[in-house]
């Protein structure tokens, strides 16, 4: 009983890099892999909350894997990145929503540009 408690205490004191989180983004998945096979593969490293597999033309071959514990996600990322499955090598990354393509509305950008023009007393020229 002492060993699990000591191991758990060590986990609490470990400092993780800021990009580490519970959600993994998996690329280069074989198109024929099933959800059950994904659960078997990623479930080896800890309890999984959810797996979302891409099913459209643009998202095929990708998946999001959400773990219950951040340390399980780190362990899975470390061990499964580059793992060979059905003649493909997996690319496993931490999901970082702030680094995904940011969509800012055109109206908001236009308002910011107008505010900057007013601040600096600059008149813009429309396309020549």
């Amino acid at each position: 009983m002492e060993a699990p408690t000591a191991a758990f205490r060590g986990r609490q004191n470990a400092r993780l890099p800021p990009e580490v989180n519970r959600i993994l983004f998996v690329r280069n998945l074989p198109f024929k892999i099933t959800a059950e096979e994904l659960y078997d593969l990623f479930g080896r490293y800890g309890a999984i909350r959810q797996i979302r597999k891409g099913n459209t033309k643009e998202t095929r071959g990708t998946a999001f894997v959400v773990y219950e514990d951040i340390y399980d996600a780190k362990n899975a990322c470390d061990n499964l990145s580059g793992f060979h499955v059905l003649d493909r090598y997996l690319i496993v990354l931490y999901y970082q929503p702030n680094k995904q393509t940011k969509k800012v509305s055109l109206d908001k950008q236009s308002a910011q540009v107008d505010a900057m023009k007013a601040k600096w007393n600059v008149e813009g020229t429309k396309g020549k």
Side-chain angles (χ1 to χ4, degrees):
M1 290 288 182
E2 286 296 319
T5 306
F8 182 71
R9 239 181 284 136
R11 285 175 134 193
Q12 293 292 7
N13 295 333
R15 299 276 303 174
L16 294 175
E19 71 271 5
V20 176
N21 65 38
R22 296 180 314 121
I23 305 170
L24 300 179
F25 178 59
V26 185
R27 294 178 25 206
N28 204 32
L29 279 171
F31 293 161
K32 295 180 181 180
I33 197 164
T34 65
E36 291 79 24
E37 290 170 330
L38 283 174
Y39 273 101
D40 288 343
L41 181 63
F42 285 90
R44 296 177 190 170
Y45 298 97
I48 294 174
R49 178 173 289 185
Q50 181 182 43
I51 292 182
R52 303 282 295 191
K53 188 176 151 198
N55 56 6
T56 66
K57 184 177 180 183
E58 293 82 21
T59 61
R60 282 180 64 188
T62 64
F64 288 98
V65 180
V66 183
Y67 280 91
E68 294 287 339
D69 184 36
I70 193 169
Y71 293 98
D72 295 338
K74 182 180 184 325
N75 193 17
C77 187
D78 292 345
N79 289 298
L80 290 176
S81 191
F83 192 77
H84 189 254
V85 177
L86 299 173
D87 293 332
R88 298 195 119 183
Y89 292 97
L90 298 182
I91 300 169
V92 183
L93 307 166
Y94 296 107
Y95 174 65
Q96 297 178 353
N98 57 346
K99 292 197 177 179
Q100 298 291 330
T101 56
K102 294 182 180 178
K103 296 182 180 179
V104 179
S105 71
L106 188 58
D107 294 336
K108 187 175 179 181
Q109 284 183 339
S110 179
Q112 288 175 343
V113 169
D114 291 341
M116 292 297 285
K117 285 180 185 177
K119 179 180 178 181
W120 298 103
N121 197 17
V122 175
E123 290 191 25
T125 57
K126 293 270 180 178
K128 294 180 181 179

